[in-house]
Structures are given as C-alpha cells and as structure tokens.
Amino acid sequence: MTAEPTYRGFALDAETALALLQWQSELGADEPCLDAPLDRYAMPERAEAPAPAPAPAPAAAKPPAEAEDLVARATAMAAAATSLAELAQAQEDFDGIELKKGARNFCFCDGNPAARVMIIGEAPGEEEDRQGRPFVGRAGQLLDQMFAAIGLSRQAVDAERALYITNVLTWRPPGNRRPEPAEIAMMLPFLARHVELAQPQFLVLMGNTPCIAALNQQGILKLRGTWTTAFGLPALPMAHPAYLLRTPLAKREAWADLLSLAARLDG
Ligand code: URA
C-alpha cells in the first residue's frame, strides 16, 4: 500500500495538489525549488564569499540596433494593414518576437469589434494560449462577471452592450512572466493600429502592462479609476482581475471603476 502524499502535514489528494500547483503558477512560479523553505540565516557562514556570478542576459534581450530594427519592421507591417483581419495576419506573421517560438497559439482578440468599449490586458496565460483567445481563464471569467454587472458582454451582438478584448502581447510569455520592455515595444505598433482599426469609444487598461504600453506609466493602484487619454481615446486604468482574485477587498474599487465606465457610456 502506498502512503497518502502530504503537504505540511496535511493529506494531499490529487485535486488539492493540482489547485496548489495552479495557484503557484498564477503567482509566477515556473520551476520547482525545494520541498521545504531554507533558512539561510541559520546556516554556518562561509569563510569566503564566492564571486558573484555574472547576471545572465534576459532571453529576449537584443542589441539596441537590432531591437530598433524590429520595432521599425513591426511599425511598417502594422501600418500596411487596412482591416482587423489583415492586422491579425501581419501580427501573426511577425517573426521578431521570440515568444512566438514557445507559444502554442496566437491570441489576437475576442468579442465584438464593433463594441464601444475595448479592453486591453497584458498577455495570454495558459488557458488563453490553449484556446487562442484572450481572457478565457479564471481571470477572464471574473472579467466577464464584472462587465456583466454593468450590462456588457463579449458575446453581445449589439455594439451598445458589447465588449472587444485584446492584450498587449499576443503570444504567451513562458511561465506567465511579466512582458519585457523590448517585447512591449515590439508589439506596441500592432496594438496602436488595432485600436485605430477597431475604433472603440472607450478603452479599459487592465493592469500595469497596458498602462506601461499605452501611457508609459506604471503603478496601477494609483492610476486606477482616473480617466486619462491613450491612443487618442478616453481610457480608464483598472486593477487586473487576476489581482482581484488574490485581493478580494480591491473589488470594491473595481466596482467604482465599472460604475464610472457605465456613467460615461450613458452620458
Ligand atoms: N491576463 C491578461 O492580461 N490577459 C489574458 O488574456 C489573460 C490573463
């Protein structure tokens, strides 16, 4: 008979183990370390500190000239697109971004392109990568509930009630890590053209990454709730639903932000 696995003294069934793993993955953990925490303060001091290892170059880092060249190429490809379908094709074809090699699916948009409200998120996660559509995992389910509370839905045919959804990055970063500045810079021309072609009336910037991309600002907890201008349109920064899942108390402020959007739509 095999012993029941345990975690910190608790019996660990398969379902709980999977939930724990998913939770850690959502927090950004992408490699196993140790079974138990290691108290380095309690360890004997080393006689001689080893020389610090040189910092590894980030995987996506490119020499500045090459990176600039890629941004110029992305800009030209985006500008040449005259419809959303052409833009999606151009963005999918763009080979300058390393993330493309590790992702399963291209994740361009979801919802109704005629919507008055366009939501811009960060990047596909695991479920989005699997389905090739933005915001279809747990955070996406919360996003749907939030916007349903003010009468908006990505399934709505009527533009008044509809939502259109995209992300700054269209390919999943490994282990759901944060997008790097070079990746944001390369995708920005596509995002700007996406907004231009979709012509929404209002933008919602979901979390820090779209604020970095569209406003060149970060600090979503300060930015949220204050209307600003992005890509020439009225834009509302809001806390990301993944943050709201971890911080339920912040849902009160998110509700205030949704009411502010509803008031703009009515006004
Ligand atoms: N988080 C995002 O920002 N976008 C998604 O599509 C999914 C999770």
Side-chain angles (χ1 to χ4, degrees):
M1 199 176 102
T2 50
E4 175 94 345
T6 60
Y7 175 70
R8 295 171 163 229
F10 295 101
L12 192 62
D13 57 57
E15 213 171 279
T16 313
L18 189 62
L20 272 169
L21 201 60
Q22 272 168 350
W23 178 68
Q24 289 175 354
S25 150
E26 276 163 23
L27 291 178
D30 56 4
E31 60 179 336
C33 295
L34 297 167
D35 287 343
L38 185 61
D39 183 357
R40 293 195 186 273
Y41 291 103
M43 292 170 78
E45 276 193 39
R46 259 185 278 205
E48 207 178 285
K62 296 200 185 292
E66 199 182 324
E68 260 174 45
D69 192 46
L70 289 171
V71 173
R73 197 137 60 81
T75 306
M77 288 173 78
T82 60
S83 66
L84 288 172
E86 280 182 23
L87 182 69
Q89 192 60 60
Q91 191 163 4
E92 188 170 7
D93 289 347
F94 177 72
D95 278 328
I97 187 150
E98 295 288 316
L99 294 177
K100 181 175 175 178
K101 295 183 188 150
R104 281 195 213 181
N105 277 305
F106 175 61
C107 197
F108 184 68
C109 70
D110 199 20
N112 182 345
R116 294 174 71 195
V117 178
M118 179 168 180
I119 297 175
I120 304 176
E122 177 174 293
E126 191 179 3
E127 194 53 35
E128 289 77 18
D129 185 42
R130 191 171 297 137
Q131 295 192 30
R133 291 192 298 138
F135 279 108
V136 288
R138 274 181 71 215
Q141 286 159 20
L142 177 58
L143 179 139
D144 285 342
Q145 288 165 6
M146 288 163 61
F147 284 86
I150 57 164
L152 301 182
S153 146
R154 65 174 103 190
Q155 279 89 27
V157 179
D158 174 7
E160 291 289 320
R161 309 232 145 265
L163 282 177
Y164 185 53
I165 307 176
T166 191
N167 280 314
V168 174
L169 299 190
T170 43
W171 305 103
R172 182 192 183 198
N176 295 347
R177 67 154 169 75
R178 290 242 169 90
E180 291 176 2
E183 292 163 347
I184 295 176
M186 256 185 269
M187 291 295 106
L188 188 55
F190 290 110
L191 179 64
R193 187 75 180 130
H194 201 157
V195 173
E196 206 169 35
L197 290 169
Q199 293 188 300
Q201 286 174 16
F202 301 104
L203 295 173
V204 175
L205 307 175
M206 270 304 175
N208 250 327
T209 299
C211 291
I212 294 170
L215 308 173
N216 199 18
Q217 287 183 62
Q218 55 185 317
I220 187 63
L221 297 183
K222 280 222 175 98
L223 294 169
R224 62 137 287 275
T226 302
W227 283 90
T228 180
T229 304
F231 305 114
L233 296 171
L236 181 64
M238 284 186 65
H240 196 284
Y243 172 76
L244 300 178
L245 285 170
R246 297 192 298 270
T247 320
L249 272 182
K251 286 183 182 169
R252 195 165 46 173
E253 288 163 343
W255 176 235
D257 299 344
L258 288 168
L259 291 180
S260 168
L261 174 63
R264 284 276 179 131
L265 287 165
D266 289 346

